[in-house]
Amino acid sequence: MSLTLGIETSCDDTAVAVLSGTRTVVAELLSSQIKDHSRFGGVVPEFAARKHQENLLPLIDEVLRLAGTTGPQLSLIAVTQGPGLMGSLIVGVQTARALAQVWGVPLIGVNHLEGHLFAPLVDSDLKPPFLSLIVSGGHTEILKVKDFGDYSLLGETRDDAAGEAYDKAARVLGLPYPGGPQIDRLARTGNPKAFDFPVPLKHTHEVEFSFSGLKTALLWQVKRLQKGDSSLPIPDLCASFQRAVTDALVTKVALAVRQTGIRNLSVSGGVAANSALRAALTQPGERRWKAYLPAPNRCTDNAVMIAAAGRNCWDRGVWSPQDLSPDPSLPLNAD
Ligand code: KG4
Ligand code: ZN
């Protein structure tokens, strides 16, 4: 049995997992800091790093115990190298380096985006070539996965990421951080056609996104409504905003499918947990692609995806030196 320990600390979740081979999850644990940060309205980097420091070693102890193994029995340690918050990344990478050395286990630094890309692959037999829509708090892009480790960037956002747009919209509506799950929940009882928000870049012939104008449109709508006497129709605003974001994402997926002729699509990142996006991408009927979506808890940051991506790199003969260092703006190697 070849076991990989995955460690993810790029932002505000401390996550660890033990993966057997390439797809069997033996144990996984996650300590979320959402409650700690939501009172500040967003992630406080210094605080996130301190929490990782408190949580990481006990979580690693516990996940190894749950997996019925010990450190020296591992075949590989995979840790998020970047992109992410520097203080948070340092905790993960330094811990992984120390453990790799003490246990005599090889180490691999994983690009967080490549990690997201692998999330749908743990539960499916999807193989390249395929398209990958990554929609998170920091990124919104469509990649062509020609082979594992061989990516082309078809297009990305010009400004805000989709998750960032959800978080900013939630702030406009007075909802707590992180905004995506709040808007998703409230939209269920709202009318998505109540407000006609613009669908950004709907008619351009490029695979590209832009969400900052949509957030501004929401802000102006809220200001107009606040001039009246009645309270804000929050569920309708959430549902209408969500409809516009979903439409923008699905429109460009359709364009990427048309341009490349590739019909298999993997979807990952926190916004892939959004119920409207999941429904729109998987609804039977005229859709010209097959979407592979991870379970909602594997859309947001987790260590299973880091272990899976690390293991795949290792199997391709890629690994990292023992003095691996974190890189907050680590690019994904894509042409
Ligand atoms: O992938 P992730 O956990 O962290 C990053 O790498 O950024 O994504 C977090 C983002 C946040 O912006 C959060 O609001 C958004 O994903 N998100 C959602 C949902 N769940 C998380 N957005 C829309 N609907 C959701 N259900
Ligand atoms: Zn992420």
Side-chain angles (χ1 to χ4, degrees), residues 82-258:
L85 300 171
M86 187 53 162
S88 294
L89 292 167
I90 285 177
V91 179
V93 170
Q94 292 295 62
T95 304
R97 273 175 56 171
L99 294 177
Q101 201 150 29
V102 172
W103 293 337
V105 175
L107 175 69
I108 184 144
V110 174
N111 184 299
H112 182 78
L113 287 180
E114 195 167 21
H116 275 304
L117 199 149
F118 269 81
L121 304 177
V122 178
D123 301 316
S124 75
D125 53 9
L126 179 60
K127 298 227 164 27
F130 59 87
L131 298 177
S132 179
L133 170 67
I134 302 182
V135 266
S136 69
H139 293 85
T140 297
E141 55 195 53
I142 299 182
L143 294 160
K144 181 167 138 187
V145 179
K146 293 175 276 183
D147 202 347
F148 292 125
D150 188 4
Y151 311 118
S152 284
L153 180 65
L154 298 184
E156 61 187 333
T157 183
R158 290 180 181 177
D159 40 58
D160 292 350
E164 191 180 356
Y166 271 110
D167 295 338
K168 288 179 175 173
R171 212 170 302 148
V172 168
L173 297 172
L175 303 171
Y177 172 88
Q182 303 286 338
I183 291 180
D184 193 351
R185 183 177 54 82
L186 289 160
R188 284 183 196 152
T189 55
N191 173 7
K193 295 195 175 150
F195 299 97
D196 194 16
F197 291 125
V199 177
L201 307 179
K202 172 127 180 138
H203 300 293
T204 69
H205 296 290
E206 303 287 325
V207 176
E208 55 182 350
F209 305 95
S210 166
F211 294 105
S212 72
L214 177 57
K215 174 211 62 197
T216 309
L218 173 73
L219 182 65
W220 283 111
Q221 184 61 62
V222 166
K223 282 189 192 297
R224 275 195 295 277
L225 289 164
Q226 279 169 337
K227 282 192 187 137
D229 290 338
S230 49
S231 58
L232 286 178
I234 297 285
D236 285 352
L237 287 164
C238 288
S240 302
F241 178 83
Q242 183 170 269
R243 181 173 71 104
V245 175
T246 303
D247 195 353
L249 294 171
V250 173
T251 300
K252 297 305 179 182
V253 163
L255 181 62
V257 170
R258 272 203 308 281

